[in-house]
Each structure stands twice: as structure tokens, then as C-alpha cells.
Amino acid sequence: MMISQLARRLSIYLAIFLVFLVISHLLLKLYYIRNYSAENAEKLLSSVSSYKFFSDDPCATSIVGDPIDAGLQYVKINLHCDRSSTITNTLDLRAVKQPTYRGLIQLLGNINGFRVQISDSEIDSLGGLKKSEGMRWRCFTDHQHEVEITNFNLALKEQQTVDCFYNFDDSAVNQYYDNH
Amino acid sequence: MILLLINIMTITNAIRIWILIIILVGAYILRQHNYAQIPFPGESMDEYSFGWAGLSLIRLGYPIASSGIAGYKTYDYRYINVDQIYRTTAKGNAFSINYPWFDHPPLLGLVTGGYAYLKGAQVFEDTQISLIRKPMIFIGILSVSLLFLYLKSIFGYLEAFIGSIIYAASPLAVIGSRMVQAENLLIPLFLGSLILLHQYIQRKNQLLLWLAAGVAGFALLVKFSAISIILSGILLLMFSSKDRKTALVDCLTFALISLSFILIFLSYGAVYDIQQFITIFVSNGSRFYGAGANALADLITTTKITRFLTDGWFLSGWIAVFMLLFKSASDRSVNFITIPVFSYLVVFLLFGSESYGWYRFPFQPFLFAAIAYVVASAVRNYQNYLPAFLLLLLPVGVTISRLITINEFQDYASIWRWVIGVLLVVYISLTFVKINSKIKRLLPVLLFGLFAAGLVLSIEYFYKITVDYWRGTA
């Protein structure tokens, strides 16, 4: 093949290619503008899978391992569903988008697969463990029986530990803290 | 007479087609076995990351995924408990989500994320491994069939059958091929480009050259290490033409067309944030060189995916490739094996910042092609039996050692000693002694027997790799 003929063919190719490039660039930009919003992105990232199995037992599973990548920016949350069923979870605080007690518990429910109903001042239910006569969730922080959480909208602090007990009376909570 | 000949040819072709179908069906059966369990979901977070990039592009027109590369403006930490990985492999760490995500071009993400989307995935947590690995199984089968076509067009049916059977059954190739890693999509594009290039060299039809370059360029939209395909093409064109001027024109054409595809990736980056795109591009090139100075030794002597998995076919493949280097002066067709291996080796050593198992995947088809060449040349010439015998003995021995313990082996030790010893003496003698044609005809049977034993043992070993076995590997 003559070099001039090849040069002509390559020039045509490049011209067509550049036209394709410009059109595809504009189409992608248009598609992005039409479909992207911060709200849609948030849904994509944080929505729970519709295939997810939600358990009645909030202590059925836990987060295994510690978020080493988080350094000191972590929080711990332990659920005590009864005297013999406890789960411990350590989370990267940077991933708790609503960094309150409520946000932490809701995120834990999304991760471990149990439904959360929580008001400003108390937990209504975690999974199948609901508030009823004489039975309720009580949460404490910093390993102290004196610091019961009564406002779940308060902000979390780094390295904080939250313990939530279901159907534990004062003496049972005290006993737990004495032993741990 | 002519009719009889046509009949025989038709029957022969039908048998060949049936053998190929059996190989591909076998490749499918092996690849889909436990595909969503091994490797464990979350052992390589890249698998999800590719799927997320594709899903976010489809749903938002914007690439969002997880990255380990420095230089992103946004690091958004998220718990995405897909496949319950926080109970198993995630080790408690949140994903670092980055956007716009530019770690790799978007093609593989669009394939896996697109498949997940078509199957109903709407959010990141929906992209289960059972969905995103499914297209990889078919890409793996495509690679086996393309290796068959490649070897058939360059060497012949015998090489094609041997090479594709090994590729279909090697445990490491089977388990590796179902992972969502860019290298697994690079392989069929690598082979496709080389098949077209070989056809061009044979027929001198410019359209084939342009198509070969187009496929090589398209591979750049999978991963930048596809530059090795372009390098292979250029070197093969240089070595295949005696006329320097023609070779130069062909090389320039091939390079220009294939490299033009970089502009697509660049244009894609410019849609979102060109400055971020360039930062990540530069950052990708200056990553921590975790493979270290022993990268080459590690590549040849160890076999791994996410964990170490011993597979003797790979060491055999490397030895066969080195043997082929000495053949390149007398048989130029071996360049179609050695040049792709060494082109990818250049890229592997330049870009291979970590010693991840999947960085090695693109070597696989060419290593198996090299084994196929050595074994087939032994079948055609009995004086080449010794190297072929030793090459096949390697995977047989390695696989036996995986299947039974050293104490269990003692029951077979005397058989092993005597059979191998006698065969070695026979094959060494054959290298120097001329034999009559009747014995000559019998000899390939022994070689095929060893090859068949290697395959059966490999398949048995593959089925031994259960979830518990995988958990026990390092």
C-alpha cells in the first residue's frame, strides 16, 4: 500500500474518531447531568439491599474485627439481648454519617440486619425485642452505670463505648460493669 | 475416492468440533462450581469496586467506587455489607469510597455492574458476588475458546487441543478466571487482537490489521496494562516482515489506531474532573512497589490467586517458555507465544506494584500454549520426548503431593520410583537412538497417558478445594 494512501486512510480514521469522541463526551456529560444528584448518590451508597434478610434477633450477627484503618476514630457498641447473648461491634466513626447514638444504632441495624425503631429518648425496638411492660432497652456509655443515655440525638465521641441492655435491671447492669 | 475423502474429512471435522464442545462444557462445569464461594467474597474488595463503578455509571452517569490509591479529593467511609462481608472477610474496616472514581477505565465495571443491574441490582449492597462473577465465567470460557482458535491458526489442532484443555482444567486458572479482575477481561482481548494480527500477517488484508489494533486499543478501556497487547502487536509486526518499510508502516498504523483509544479514557475523565483524573493517573504510576526486587522469582516459583494455590502447570509453562526462546530462530511461529509473554512481563514488572495473584493471569494462556507446543512437538518427533515428559511430570507430581500426604505416598513410592526411573531411561535413550516405526507409534500413547493423568489429577484437586480447604490455605 502506498504511504500516501495509508496516510489518507489514517487521517479519515482520526477525523471520524474525534467526531465520535466529541459526541460520546457530550452524551455522557448530558447523561450525568440528567441522572446525578447528591441524593441519588446517597441512596445508592447507603440503601439497604432489598434482598437483605432482617433478623428478629439483634444479637444474631456482629461486625467481626476492628477497623484498624480508622486509627483512633472508632466507636464501640455492644448489645446485650439477654444474660447469655451479647454482641460487640467496633465501627469507624467516619462512616457513621449521622454521628449520634441514634445514628450509630440505626447504622448497626442496617449492617447486621435488624430493624430499628428509636425515638429521641428511648429505643422502641431492635429486631423483635420491643419495649413492653417491664421489658425495655437501656443504653449506657463509657462503662458507667451512672451514664444512662436518655437523649439519643447527642453526638458521639471518638473511642466511646455504648452498651445497650435488654431487660436488664439495675443490679444486672451493675453486675455487668463490675465484671467488665 | 473423492467422496470417501470428503466423508473422512467431514467426520474428522465433526470429531474436532465435538472435542472442542466437550472442552468448553468442561470449562463451564469447573468454573461455575462454587464460583460464589471460592475465592471468598470480599477477599479482594476490587471485585465489588468494579461492580459499583459500573452500577453507579449506569444509574447516575457518575463513577463511584472504592479505591486504595492516594490523591482523591473525596474519601467517604461507608459500611456496605454486601454478601455479609462484615461477618467474614472485611475485618471491620469501612470501605473508602471515592468519586469520581478513576482507578481504572470503566469497561469491566460496565460489564459486571451492568449484568448486576439487569438482574435487579439497584444499590451497592445488591451487587452480590454471585451476580458480578457470573459474566466472568462466560468471559473465562471465551478465553479458552480463543486460545483454541489462536493455537489452531498458528500451529494446528494438536496444540490447540492440548493448550485449551490445560486452560480449561488447571485449578489455578479455573478459580482465578471467575474473579472480577480486569486481567480476566484483558485475556480474551489480548488473544482476539493476536488472532487478528496473525491473520493479517498471513493474508495481508489491511482490515485485519485495523481490527487487531482496534481490539488492542479497546483493551485500554479495561486496564492500562493493555499497553502490553499493543507492545506485543508492534513486536510481532516488526519480526514478521522481511521488508523494513512495510513493517514500519504496519507498526505505525497499529500503534496509532490502538493508542488513539487512550483519548476515550481521557475524554471520560474530562466529563467529571480532569485534574482529579490526572492526579490519579500519576498516583497509579507511583504506587508502593510491594512486589519488591524478587518480583520475577516470585512470579515463576509461586502460584497464587488471593491465597497461595500450588499448580504445577504454571512452572511447566515457564520452563516451556524458556525452552521456546531457543526455538525462535528456527521456528518463528513461537514468537506468537514468547513475545506476548515478554511484553506482558515488561508491563508486569513496570506496573506490578503489588504481588497480587491476578496480575499474573494474562500469562496463563501463553504459558499453556508453550506447554502445548513442546508436547505436540514431542508427538511429532520422538527425539523431543524427554523435555515433554519432564514438563508433564511436573504438574502430575505437584498435584499428587496436594492430593495425598507424604505418609500416604509411601505406599506408592516404589511404583513412582520404578515407573519414572524406567521411563526416564527410555526417553533419554530415545534422544540418541534411532528406533523402528512400530515402537515409534506406541510412544505418544505414554505421553498422552501422562497428560491425561495430569488432567484427571488436576480436576480431582480442583474438587478437593472446598470452602474449608480454601480457608486452610495461606
Side-chain angles (χ1 to χ4, degrees):
Chain A
M1 185 191 284
M2 298 289 289
I3 291 183
S4 59
Q5 195 186 355
L6 181 71
R8 196 166 60 86
R9 281 188 188 177
L10 284 173
S11 309
I12 294 168
Y13 164 77
L14 283 178
I16 295 170
F17 185 81
L18 287 173
V19 170
F20 162 78
L21 205 63
V22 171
I23 291 172
S24 61
H25 179 92
L26 292 173
L27 284 175
L28 184 57
K29 188 100 188 168
L30 189 70
Y31 188 74
Y32 160 53
I33 291 167
R34 282 195 175 176
N35 292 283
Y36 182 81
S37 69
E39 195 186 326
N40 285 345
E42 185 57 39
K43 270 187 201 165
L44 196 69
L45 281 163
S46 59
S47 296
V48 174
S49 171
S50 51
Y51 308 116
K52 192 159 194 159
F53 170 73
F54 281 87
S55 171
D56 269 351
D57 179 5
C59 293
T61 64
S62 64
I63 297 171
V64 176
D66 293 325
I68 299 161
D69 297 349
L72 298 176
Q73 293 174 278
Y74 66 84
V75 281
K76 286 179 179 286
I77 174 160
N78 308 319
L79 300 185
H80 309 267
C81 297
D82 59 48
R83 305 291 190 279
S84 58
S85 175
T86 295
I87 57 159
T88 58
N89 306 273
T90 312
L91 285 95
D92 185 333
L93 185 57
R94 297 169 301 175
V96 186
K97 296 299 159 191
Q98 198 191 337
T100 59
Y101 297 121
R102 182 206 289 257
L104 177 68
I105 295 166
Q106 272 169 342
L107 178 64
L108 188 72
N110 284 349
I111 298 169
N112 287 352
F114 59 86
R115 309 246 182 230
V116 173
Q117 281 190 312
I118 190 165
S119 66
D120 290 348
S121 58
E122 63 181 346
I123 293 172
D124 294 322
S125 69
L126 297 184
L129 301 184
K130 295 175 183 164
K131 187 180 84 173
S132 60
E133 212 170 301
M135 315 267 265
R136 67 181 180 111
W137 282 98
R138 300 173 71 196
C139 296
F140 301 86
T141 184
D142 298 331
H143 301 284
Q144 289 173 40
H145 183 208
E146 294 77 32
V147 193
E148 182 164 2
I149 299 168
T150 51
N151 182 357
F152 283 87
N153 293 324
L154 288 179
L156 290 163
K157 289 175 280 183
E158 281 181 13
Q159 300 162 54
Q160 196 168 10
T161 299
V162 176
D163 282 294
C164 292
F165 301 87
Y166 184 69
N167 198 24
F168 275 49
D169 56 21
D170 281 341
S171 63
V173 174
N174 271 335
Q175 194 184 349
Y176 173 79
Y177 280 128
D178 287 345
N179 294 335
H180 292 83
Chain B
M1 186 67 184
I2 293 168
L3 275 175
L4 183 72
L5 206 66
I6 290 170
N7 271 337
I8 292 169
M9 281 172 68
T10 315
I11 291 166
T12 314
N13 278 336
I15 291 169
R16 284 169 181 158
I17 289 168
W18 274 108
I19 295 174
L20 177 61
I21 290 170
I22 291 167
I23 294 170
L24 297 181
V25 169
Y28 174 76
I29 291 169
L30 293 174
R31 276 157 180 76
Q32 61 81 40
H33 177 74
N34 277 347
Y35 81 95
Q37 281 87 45
I38 301 168
F40 293 151
E43 261 189 281
S44 164
M45 297 300 181
D46 288 3
E47 293 194 86
Y48 295 118
S49 196
F50 278 114
W52 293 341
L55 187 67
S56 56
L57 265 172
I58 291 165
R59 295 214 58 208
L60 308 174
Y62 189 68
I64 303 175
S66 175
S67 169
I69 298 176
Y72 278 101
K73 288 177 195 162
T74 321
Y75 287 87
D76 186 357
Y77 294 92
R78 298 283 178 159
Y79 282 98
I80 301 164
N81 197 12
V82 56
D83 291 313
Q84 297 286 323
I85 53 170
Y86 285 103
R87 287 171 66 181
T88 52
T89 45
K91 294 170 189 164
N93 283 309
F95 282 99
S96 161
I97 298 290
N98 308 98
Y99 36 83
W101 182 82
F102 293 134
D103 280 22
H104 297 296
L107 196 59
L108 179 65
L110 287 172
V111 171
T112 55
Y115 182 82
Y117 179 71
L118 289 175
K119 290 286 172 185
Q122 293 292 311
V123 297
F124 279 7
E125 212 182 71
D126 287 337
T127 55
Q128 296 162 9
I129 213 83
S130 58
L131 281 180
I132 56 176
R133 277 191 190 162
K134 200 83 183 179
M136 303 316 292
I137 293 175
F138 294 102
I139 289 169
I141 294 161
L142 177 67
S143 298
V144 174
S145 45
L146 287 174
L147 179 65
F148 178 89
L149 280 179
Y150 186 57
L151 292 175
K152 189 253 157 196
S153 62
I154 297 165
F155 303 108
Y157 279 106
L158 187 58
E159 286 85 347
F161 283 128
I162 296 170
S164 54
I165 286 172
I166 301 172
Y167 199 15
S170 148
L172 197 97
V174 171
I175 294 172
S177 73
R178 54 205 191 186
M179 286 189 81
V180 185
Q181 296 293 351
E183 284 74 9
N184 280 328
L185 185 52
L186 278 190
I187 293 169
L189 295 170
F190 208 151
L191 291 167
S193 175
L194 292 178
I195 290 168
L196 289 163
L197 205 63
H198 181 256
Q199 290 300 308
Y200 167 71
I201 290 163
Q202 299 287 304
R203 298 186 203 171
K204 292 292 170 192
N205 178 343
Q206 280 286 314
L207 179 66
L208 292 165
L209 178 66
W210 285 53
L211 283 173
V215 174
F218 193 61
L220 285 171
L221 302 179
V222 176
K223 194 170 180 178
F224 210 65
S225 51
I227 209 87
S228 59
I229 307 177
I230 298 169
L231 184 62
S232 290
I234 291 169
L235 291 173
L236 283 167
L237 286 166
M238 268 169 59
F239 290 126
S240 63
S241 180
K242 284 172 188 163
D243 178 12
R244 281 193 174 182
K245 197 174 154 190
T246 311
L248 187 69
V249 170
D250 285 351
C251 288
L252 278 173
T253 308
F254 187 84
L256 193 74
I257 293 168
S258 53
L259 291 172
S260 65
F261 280 72
I262 292 176
L263 293 176
I264 297 179
F265 189 34
L266 202 67
S267 154
Y268 164 81
V271 168
Y272 306 106
D273 185 343
I274 193 67
Q275 202 184 346
Q276 173 86 95
F277 178 84
I278 292 165
T279 307
I280 296 305
F281 196 78
V282 173
S283 181
N284 239 329
S286 55
R287 286 161 79 173
F288 179 72
Y289 200 90
N294 66 341
L296 186 59
D298 192 44
L299 171 69
I300 294 166
T301 55
T302 61
T303 50
K304 61 178 165 182
I305 305 174
T306 49
R307 291 152 189 253
F308 287 98
L309 183 74
T310 313
D311 185 335
W313 293 108
F314 284 82
L315 186 55
S316 288
W318 279 111
I319 295 170
V321 165
F322 294 140
M323 285 163 70
L324 259 55
L325 283 177
F326 297 101
K327 290 283 279 183
S328 57
S330 60
D331 183 359
R332 291 211 152 190
S333 61
V334 302
N335 285 342
F336 279 88
I337 297 175
T338 53
I339 286 177
V341 168
F342 288 97
S343 299
Y344 187 72
L345 184 63
V346 170
V347 172
F348 177 84
L349 293 175
L350 280 175
F351 295 175
S353 55
E354 292 291 345
S355 58
Y356 296 133
W358 47 90
Y359 286 177
R360 302 151 181 230
F361 292 170
F363 288 115
Q364 291 174 357
F366 303 107
L367 298 185
F368 300 150
I371 299 173
Y373 179 89
V374 174
V375 174
S377 68
V379 172
R380 293 192 182 108
N381 179 3
Y382 68 86
Q383 287 187 316
N384 294 334
Y385 265 44
L386 187 60
F389 173 73
L390 291 171
L391 276 189
L392 292 177
L393 194 59
L394 256 172
V396 170
V398 166
T399 318
I400 288 174
S401 74
R402 299 288 104 187
L403 288 169
I404 56 172
T405 64
I406 193 71
N407 289 329
E408 287 167 337
F409 179 72
Q410 300 315 307
D411 296 339
Y412 310 98
S414 56
I415 303 171
W416 173 265
R417 276 192 193 119
W418 283 103
V419 171
I420 303 300
V422 168
L423 284 175
L424 266 176
V425 171
V426 169
Y427 287 136
I428 292 166
S429 312
L430 284 174
T431 315
F432 306 105
V433 181
K434 288 198 171 180
I435 53 169
N436 71 46
S437 57
K438 278 184 184 172
I439 301 171
K440 227 189 285 182
R441 273 182 218 148
L442 273 175
L443 288 168
V445 178
L446 284 172
L447 212 56
F448 281 124
L450 195 62
F451 179 63
L455 282 176
V456 170
L457 290 167
S458 291
I459 292 168
E460 206 174 324
Y461 177 40
F462 170 75
Y463 280 107
K464 195 188 167 187
I465 304 168
T466 57
V467 169
D468 287 335
Y469 184 93
W470 189 255
R471 195 173 287 124
T473 55

